[in-house]
Amino acid sequence: MAECEHDHGGPNGLSGHGLHHALVEADARCERAGERMTQPRRRALELLLEAGKPMKAYDLIATFGEDGRPAKPPTVYRALEFLSKQGLAHRIESLNAYVACEMGDRNHAAAFLICDCCGATEEVEPFAPERIQAAADKAGYTVTAVTVEAHGLCGNCA
Ligand SMILES: [Zn+2]
Ligand SMILES: [Zn+2]
Ligand SMILES: [Zn+2]
């Protein structure tokens, strides 16, 4: 994401105890869902949580190895796909990026307010996702993900 010149009052990402807690929580969620939180999956989530903003897959690839070495791209893409499926992260199509989920729930419909100046995003409750589901049911359509993306300027950049 491009760095803008507006004041955002420090980083949004998690670190220390907050980061540890979020990862433990994610482990527990995977276990409840009968899924395995493998090392690459955990590392991808850790990087997203640390960033606290949308990250492109290739940004993650570059810093993926704990020893600072890059990862194999398919490893990272598969990990991100898993996190999205579990609702631990979301793919934001219009940014071609992934962001850690802020809601903490199983796979769910998500909406994002996206700042076109600083690239910050905020996850909010989508409006009436059950109506999309109802329309899909009527059309005989199986929905795998619903993501609403609202572009504009955040409070710091407006
Ligand atoms: Zn979410
Ligand atoms: Zn902004
Ligand atoms: Zn800005």
Side-chain angles (χ1 to χ4, degrees):
M1 286 320 120
E3 294 295 324
C4 76
E5 290 167 5
H6 301 108
D7 181 17
H8 295 87
N12 294 317
L14 296 179
S15 60
H17 186 76
L19 178 61
H20 177 75
H21 182 80
L23 287 170
V24 169
E25 186 68 23
D27 285 350
R29 247 172 79 181
C30 284
E31 210 175 303
R32 281 198 298 276
E35 298 286 349
R36 240 159 48 83
M37 180 59 105
T38 61
Q39 203 277 333
R41 291 168 174 178
R42 202 168 198 272
R43 177 64 177 156
L45 182 60
E46 183 180 23
L47 288 171
L48 291 179
L49 290 166
E50 273 176 351
K53 61 178 184 176
M55 298 288 285
K56 290 184 191 291
Y58 63 70
D59 291 330
L60 297 185
I61 289 165
T63 51
F64 204 77
E66 314 242 19
D67 52 2
R69 279 197 280 171
K72 292 203 175 77
T75 305
V76 177
Y77 282 107
R78 274 200 299 267
L80 290 169
E81 202 176 299
F82 171 82
L83 296 175
S84 308
K85 242 187 206 153
Q86 295 304 313
L88 290 164
H90 297 288
R91 178 173 157 78
I92 299 179
E93 296 286 342
S94 59
L95 302 178
N96 189 23
Y98 291 82
V99 66
C101 177
E102 292 175 20
M103 301 295 202
D105 194 309
R106 294 218 42 192
N107 190 358
H108 56 273
F112 287 93
L113 308 177
I114 301 165
C115 179
D116 289 328
C117 181
C118 68
T121 59
E122 190 164 351
E123 183 173 350
V124 295
E125 204 76 52
F127 180 72
E130 66 280 0
R131 286 210 211 165
I132 296 174
Q133 187 59 59
D137 289 345
K138 213 172 147 195
Y141 204 94
T142 305
V143 175
T144 51
V146 177
T147 312
V148 177
E149 304 181 13
H151 283 262
L153 291 176
C154 75
N156 296 308
C157 294

